């Protein structure tokens, strides 16, 4: 063994309890093979799992595992995109299926990492918490024999009595919010416990975040609903246009409420490079909570959702719903409703279909169904040469329609979109020239079907619709609390330093008191010497230096408290 190693070992023995760890972190142990038997292997595995090294590794793996969940289509978010991916990547899709990359967050490997991280954090926190509680209940350790071996040290001689020096040091350190007590001929002080508290809060906050995230995924629900002005919505599963939920979600977990869309208003930039850009989207609604709740009015805006218990109602889309009236050959109304059309671009050029499923008979009296393809432009500029809208507001609305008759296929038992027209069993109406019957309609215009088949009218009333997303994600408050606690806990563990200070005052053989002050921090930092120098300067004013027997001058403490040569760090 070298001389340096021998000196270091001697220094540690001399420091004793004073040089013990200034944190609750478990001491690193040399990795060794476990003893024979199941118990030995179990202890070794538990020791590795609850080490901070493995916890950080699992946290890194969890972050890396979430990357494919963001880049690859997920069945829980959009099943149609997954099917499109499978169709486009015949070779890669089966590999992704085996690896569970189409459902990352519910896959076996992601769940295993998640659970192991959860167990690892608990295994780290529990023993450190008990150790920290024990340190809070205890007292700072007494001063080591050789204070001059500590990283920060200063000393001077004074004519003041040792008891007076210790009393002054005790009062000074208490004023600086140290935990202090007298041990023998020295005052022991310690502060910076908030560092370890912040460290524990940070790790506990991570557990809170993991629990909140898990509960949010298991019990969440997310659905969308298109509502036309004048219509309403009740928070029940059959009312949704699209709905997905967590694996433990039940229909009874839906928050009971309902609302009616009274009016929708959108404003847009009318000039400049941002012409047509939305300025405001506002949906005025009346809502009630529960079956017999009092009706209230509010306005839902973009990023300003309506909050009812754990449910949030977001405004996510907007479009137009022209009011259409269809009559048969005798003039009887067989269809009258606002038809929501889906936007195709930023100027709300929209398309959709009108389906007349019941009540219509052809000129011969035979039951038949009608279908109309519709294209709507809220602001059509004929000079542009296209049918696309030039502005999203209703400045010059035009509806283009063409008509079909026959069987819509709605009675086949096969589900179909309300925005698409199945033409397999439909026949197009023809004009006098034998071409597809089509016409541009302005509000109030009517297109007459040939051979007395009826007519379709674009009424002067054009309603607007709003798309709402109803999200129910329990645990959001806990997740926010955990995130804030993690930030503050991490800040405390990074910027607060735990340190110890000792003040020893003993009377020498010549009757003069020798005062020694030393400090020890968890890590090398300029804060400990600076703080010790400040404390020493104040204490020196209360116990000034005595003349030195050699040069009859006063020994003054180093205001910077320069670390002692060869000190243990």
């Amino acid at each position: 063994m070298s001389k340096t190693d021998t000196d270091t070992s001697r220094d540690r023995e001399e420091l004793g309890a004073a040089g013990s760890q200034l944190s609750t972190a478990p001491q690193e142990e040399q990795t060794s093979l476990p003893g024979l038997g199941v118990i030995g292997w179990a202890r070794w595995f538990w020791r590795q799992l609850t080490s901070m090294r493995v916890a950080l590794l699992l946290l890194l793996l969890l972050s890396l595992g979430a990357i494919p969940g963001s880049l690859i289509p997920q069945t829980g978010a959009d099943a149609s995109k997954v099917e499109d991916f499978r169709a486009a990547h015949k070779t890669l899709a089966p590999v992704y299926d085996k690896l569970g990359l189409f459902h990352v967050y519910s896959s076996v490997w992601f769940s295993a990492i998640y659970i192991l991280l959860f167990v690892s954090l608990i295994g780290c926190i529990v023993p450190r918490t008990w150790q920290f509680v024990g340190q809070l209940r205890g007292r700072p350790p007494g001063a080591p024999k050789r204070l001059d071996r500590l990283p920060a040290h200063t000393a001077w001689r004074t004519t003041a009595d040792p008891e007076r020096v210790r009393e002054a040091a005790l009062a000074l350190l208490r004023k600086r919010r140290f935990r202090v007590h007298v041990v023998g001929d020295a005052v022991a002080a310690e502060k910076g416990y908030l560092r370890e508290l912040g460290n524990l809060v940070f790790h506990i906050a991570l557990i809170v975040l993991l629990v909140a995230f898990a509960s949010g995924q298991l019990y969440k629900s997310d659905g969308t609903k298109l509502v036309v002005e004048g219509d309403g919505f009740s928070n029940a599963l059959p009312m949704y246009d699209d709905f997905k939920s967590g694996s433990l979600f039940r229909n009874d977990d839906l928050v009971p409420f309902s609302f009616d869309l009274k009016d929708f208003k959108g404003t847009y930039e009318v000039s400049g490079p941002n012409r047509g850009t939305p300025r405001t989207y506002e949906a005025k609604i009346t809502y009630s909570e529960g079956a017999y709740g009092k009706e209230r009015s509010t306005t839902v805006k973009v990023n300003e959702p309506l909050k009812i218990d754990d449910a949030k109602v977001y405004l996510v889309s907007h479009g137009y719903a022209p009011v259409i009236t269809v009559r048969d050959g005798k003039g009887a109304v067989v269809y009258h409703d606002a038809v929501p059309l889906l936007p195709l671009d930023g100027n709300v050029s929209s398309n959709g279909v009108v389906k007349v499923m019941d009540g219509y008979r052809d000129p011969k009296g035979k039951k038949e169904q009608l279908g109309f393809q519709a294209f709507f432009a809220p602001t059509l500029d004929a000079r542009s040469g296209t049918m696309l809208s030039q502005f999203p507001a209703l400045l010059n609305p035009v509806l283009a329609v063409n008509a079909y008759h026959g069987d819509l296929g709605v009675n086949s038992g096969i589900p179909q979109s309300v925005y698409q027209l199945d033409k397999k069993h439909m026949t197009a109406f023809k004009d006098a020239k034998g071409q597809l019957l089509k016409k541009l309609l302005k509000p109030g215009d009517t297109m007459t079907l040939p051979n007395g088949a009826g007519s379709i009218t674009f009424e002067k009333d054009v309603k607007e619709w709003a798309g709402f997303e109803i999200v129910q994600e329990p645990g959001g408050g806990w997740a926010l609390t955990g995130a804030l606690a993690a930030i503050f806990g991490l800040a405390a563990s990074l910027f607060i330093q735990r340190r110890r200070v000792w003040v020893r005052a003993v009377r020498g053989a010549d009757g003069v008191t020798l005062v020694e002050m030393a400090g020890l921090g968890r890590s090398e930092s300029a804060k400990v010497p600076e703080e010790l120098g400040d404390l020493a300067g104040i204490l020196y004013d209360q116990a000034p230096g005595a003349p030195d027997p050699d040069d009859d001058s006063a020994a003054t403490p180093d205001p910077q408290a320069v670390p002692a040569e060869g000190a243990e760090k």
Side-chain angles (χ1 to χ4, degrees):
M1 181 180 293
S2 66
K3 184 178 182 299
T4 302
D5 294 338
T6 304
D7 294 341
T8 302
S9 301
R10 189 186 305 114
D11 292 344
R12 290 178 178 174
E13 292 177 1
E14 291 176 354
L15 289 176
S20 61
Q21 283 189 308
L22 290 169
S23 72
T24 57
Q27 295 197 19
E28 293 290 335
E29 299 180 1
Q30 291 186 351
T31 304
S32 59
L33 292 176
L36 297 178
V38 177
I39 296 179
W41 280 102
R43 288 178 177 173
W44 178 85
F45 177 78
W46 177 254
R47 192 178 301 116
Q48 302 304 312
L49 179 61
T50 55
S51 66
M52 189 56 62
R53 186 187 306 108
V54 173
L56 292 175
L57 178 61
L58 290 172
L59 189 60
L60 176 62
L61 290 176
L62 192 70
S63 302
L64 294 176
I67 294 177
S70 302
L71 300 178
I72 300 173
Q74 301 292 294
T75 54
D78 195 335
S80 61
K81 287 187 177 180
V82 175
E83 294 302 322
D84 293 340
F85 187 91
R86 286 196 175 101
H89 303 83
K90 299 293 185 180
T91 304
L92 199 57
V95 179
Y96 282 8
D97 277 322
K98 291 181 180 180
L99 295 177
L101 297 182
F102 289 126
H103 50 91
V104 169
Y105 303 112
S106 59
S107 62
V108 174
W109 58 269
F110 190 87
S111 300
I113 297 174
Y114 196 91
I115 294 173
L116 286 175
L117 176 60
F118 191 82
V119 174
S120 179
L121 287 174
I122 293 178
C124 290
I125 290 173
V126 172
R128 294 184 66 163
T129 301
W130 285 115
Q131 185 177 348
F132 181 64
V133 171
Q135 291 178 359
L136 290 178
R137 296 177 63 182
R139 290 185 172 185
K145 295 180 181 179
R146 297 284 303 275
L147 288 178
D148 58 343
R149 288 186 175 274
L150 293 180
H153 171 264
T154 188
W156 72 95
R157 291 158 49 87
T158 180
T159 57
D161 294 333
E163 292 79 8
R164 178 188 167 190
V165 175
R166 287 192 289 267
E167 289 177 359
L170 200 66
L172 173 61
L173 292 171
R174 280 177 176 167
K175 186 178 180 180
R176 293 297 183 92
R177 291 181 290 186
F178 279 85
R179 294 181 62 197
V180 296
H181 72 121
V182 179
V183 184
D185 57 2
V187 175
E190 187 172 6
K191 73 183 301 185
Y193 289 91
L194 286 178
R195 178 190 182 98
E196 294 307 317
L197 180 61
N199 200 353
L200 292 174
V201 167
F202 172 74
H203 288 83
I204 293 174
L206 288 182
I207 294 181
V208 173
L209 281 172
L210 290 174
V211 174
F213 177 76
S215 64
Q217 293 297 313
L218 293 174
Y219 293 97
K220 74 173 182 178
S221 66
D222 189 347
T224 57
K225 178 62 179 180
L226 185 153
V227 183
V228 179
E229 288 176 327
D231 292 343
F233 168 80
S234 179
N235 195 25
L237 196 58
M239 296 291 293
Y240 283 93
D241 296 331
D242 179 55
F243 185 85
K244 54 181 179 289
S245 62
S247 56
L248 298 183
F249 179 84
R250 299 180 302 173
N251 294 345
D252 294 341
D253 295 331
L254 286 172
V255 177
F257 70 89
S258 61
F259 66 84
D260 294 325
L261 177 61
K262 296 300 183 180
D263 181 58
F264 182 91
K265 182 180 180 181
T267 60
Y268 310 90
E269 294 288 346
V270 297
S271 62
N274 295 324
R275 184 177 185 271
T277 302
R279 296 178 60 186
T280 60
Y281 278 164
E282 298 180 354
K284 296 182 179 180
I285 65 173
T286 58
Y287 71 97
S288 60
E289 302 179 30
Y292 305 101
K294 182 180 178 180
E295 191 173 85
R296 303 172 184 173
S297 298
T298 188
T299 300
V300 181
K301 303 178 182 179
V302 178
N303 296 326
E304 295 183 18
L306 169 65
K307 300 179 182 179
I308 303 176
D309 291 338
D310 288 336
K312 294 181 180 179
V313 181
Y314 292 91
L315 177 63
V316 295
S317 58
H318 155 257
Y320 293 101
V323 178
I324 304 297
T325 301
V326 179
R327 294 177 172 83
D328 61 14
K330 297 180 180 180
V333 176
V334 294
Y335 182 91
H336 178 79
D337 203 357
V339 181
L341 306 178
L342 298 182
L344 300 174
D345 55 31
N347 287 323
V348 203
S349 302
S350 311
N351 69 351
V353 298
V354 180
K355 297 181 180 181
V356 181
M357 296 178 285
D358 299 306
Y360 175 77
R361 294 178 181 270
D362 64 11
K364 298 180 180 179
K366 180 182 177 182
K367 289 185 177 181
E368 202 171 28
Q369 295 176 333
L370 298 178
F372 300 88
Q373 286 184 325
F375 185 89
F376 179 75
T379 301
L380 181 67
D381 186 355
R383 296 171 298 177
S384 65
T386 68
M387 270 297 296
L388 297 177
S389 177
Q390 304 302 308
F391 195 75
L394 289 171
L395 301 182
N396 183 31
V398 173
L399 180 69
V401 295
N402 50 44
Y404 298 83
H405 63 98
D407 183 6
L408 293 170
V410 294
N411 299 322
S412 62
I414 301 175
Q416 59 177 246
S417 172
V418 295
Y419 303 104
Q420 294 179 348
L421 187 64
D422 185 359
K423 304 176 186 176
K424 292 181 181 179
H425 305 286
M426 303 291 289
T427 302
F429 283 100
K430 305 290 184 176
D431 59 15
K433 299 179 180 180
Q435 301 294 323
L436 176 66
L437 180 65
K438 54 185 178 181
K439 188 176 181 180
L440 297 181
L441 304 177
K442 291 189 175 183
D445 289 350
T446 298
M447 182 179 76
T448 303
L449 302 178
N451 302 321
S455 64
I456 177 172
T457 301
F458 176 21
E459 303 292 349
K460 294 183 178 180
D461 185 17
V462 179
K463 295 185 177 182
E464 300 187 54
W465 60 260
F468 295 94
E469 182 178 10
I470 297 89
V471 178
Q472 197 168 313
E473 195 169 18
W478 284 103
L480 178 60
T481 302
L484 294 176
I487 293 174
F488 287 112
L490 183 61
S493 65
L494 291 177
F495 298 110
I496 297 177
Q497 185 181 15
R498 190 167 169 191
R499 61 267 191 201
R500 293 169 181 164
V501 173
W502 294 274
V503 181
R504 175 175 284 147
V506 294
R507 192 182 302 277
D510 57 356
V512 179
T513 301
L514 175 63
V515 180
E516 286 186 285
M517 295 185 67
L520 179 65
R522 178 179 176 182
S523 59
E524 296 184 15
S525 172
K527 185 173 184 178
V528 174
E530 290 175 1
E531 187 174 34
L532 186 68
D534 181 43
L535 293 171
I538 298 174
L539 188 60
Y540 183 82
D541 292 338
Q542 301 181 37
D548 190 87
D550 295 333
D551 55 11
D552 294 331
S553 60
T556 305
D558 183 358
Q560 299 299 324
V562 179
E565 181 70 24
E568 171 68 18
K569 297 184 180 180

